[in-house]
Amino acid sequence: MLVAEAAVAGSIPRFEIPHWRERLGVAAGITGRGADAGRGFDLGLWSQAPVGEVMSRWLAFRREMGFSAVVLGNQVHGTEVMPIDSGCGWIQVEGIDGWVCTTPGILLTITVADCVPVYLAVPRRAVALLHAGWRGTAGGLLERGLERLLAAARVDESKVVMHCGVGICGGCYEVGSEVMKGCGAAAEGPGPWHLDLRHTLAEQAKALGISDVTTSSWCSAHDRSFFYSHRASRGSDGRMAAYSGLSPGPSRLLPTDLPGNI
Ligand SMILES: [Zn+2]
């Protein structure tokens, strides 16, 4: 089923998966490009933007979200998924393409611009957030993430809800035969071919026993006025942060958070 993340009013540009807060107890969504000229609300830590400006946007993001910890890292298009269940402030780990968490108040993030953020949730119990480009999708990132989530939440797959978030659509994602074959899609004829990564991930989810799966109707490339697209910008665009976390209780909210307290 197609579901559009909805714009949220506030001090930063962001979009949330509708009803996840009430239904699942999970804050999950993605930041957007924003209306500012220039690089907009670029959160790319390893992209071309000046680091000081990027970090000030991360601080604004954290203040807006009200979580006591934010988890981030530089992804490597691999299949490592790491459980994070304690800590406060900024938690940064290198070389990880997915996170799992059972602790309210910790916000998982990944940075994307075309790759698909995959959100998995066990209502009010656990979340996982995966960075699924074609290599992760082909390499079994979803299966690994699901395994880690089920182990952490101590439930079976029937309890899992999944959303394939804002990423590049099949029409905008032209690929070579190695990508098609890697993702188990037929590469017939002379090419080039088009791959719908979110469709591939939804099919994988079905095979893994996840029945509650939705897909974003946004495309990072052809909806580039709201989002960033690596492909459509020929590599010059910024990055969005996809996020997911069990909503913090009132006692876990930080009343103040000093800028620069990184
Ligand atoms: Zn598109």
Side-chain angles (χ1 to χ4, degrees), residues 42-249:
D42 179 10
L43 292 173
L45 289 165
W46 287 268
S47 63
Q48 299 161 8
V51 171
E53 291 176 16
V54 172
M55 286 314 299
S56 70
R57 290 183 207 118
W58 274 98
L59 285 164
F61 168 73
R62 187 176 152 199
R63 275 195 298 273
E64 173 80 8
M65 296 306 298
F67 279 63
S68 57
V70 173
V71 182
L72 68 162
N74 70 326
Q75 301 120 200
V76 292
H77 295 279
T79 57
E80 286 301 318
V81 178
M82 184 175 181
I84 301 272
D85 277 305
S86 62
C88 62
W90 300 95
I91 302 167
Q92 194 204 325
V93 186
E94 309 269 313
I96 299 292
D97 283 273
W99 314 105
V100 171
C101 183
T102 58
T103 306
I106 296 178
L107 189 65
L108 307 176
T109 73
I110 55 170
T111 52
V112 287
D114 293 339
C115 285
V116 179
V118 176
Y119 306 81
L120 299 169
V122 176
R124 292 179 174 76
R125 194 156 175 147
V127 290
L129 182 62
L130 312 175
H131 164 249
W134 81 264
R135 288 180 193 280
T137 302
L141 176 64
L142 178 58
E143 185 173 10
R144 175 75 66 91
L146 179 65
E147 273 172 22
R148 291 281 165 94
L149 177 71
L150 297 181
R154 299 196 185 97
V155 296
D156 66 31
E157 56 275 8
S158 69
K159 301 287 191 296
V160 175
V161 179
M162 173 168 149
H163 179 71
C164 298
V166 178
I168 195 163
C169 80
C172 292
Y173 191 37
E174 193 174 290
V175 298
S177 60
E178 78 285 3
V179 175
M180 296 293 283
K181 286 174 188 156
C183 290
E188 289 160 2
W193 298 271
H194 289 263
L195 180 66
D196 185 340
L197 265 182
R198 293 181 289 197
H199 176 74
T200 304
L201 288 159
E203 290 293 306
Q204 288 184 354
K206 205 189 295 176
L208 291 166
I210 308 173
S211 56
D212 189 341
V213 181
T214 55
T215 295
S216 174
S217 52
W218 294 108
C219 166
S220 48
H222 71 248
D223 294 314
R224 207 176 146 223
S225 55
F226 297 106
F227 303 107
Y228 290 113
S229 172
H230 184 72
R231 178 66 72 101
S233 68
R234 298 176 188 272
S236 68
D237 240 349
R239 295 289 183 276
M240 304 164 293
Y243 60 86
S244 184
L246 293 165
S247 300

Side-chain angles (χ1 to χ4, degrees), residues 12-36:
I12 66 165
R14 69 187 173 96
F15 299 75
E16 282 206 351
I17 307 171
H19 311 306
W20 272 38
R21 281 188 189 254
E22 316 88 87
R23 194 181 138 218
L24 311 179
V26 172
I30 189 164
T31 62
R33 176 184 288 274
D36 291 347

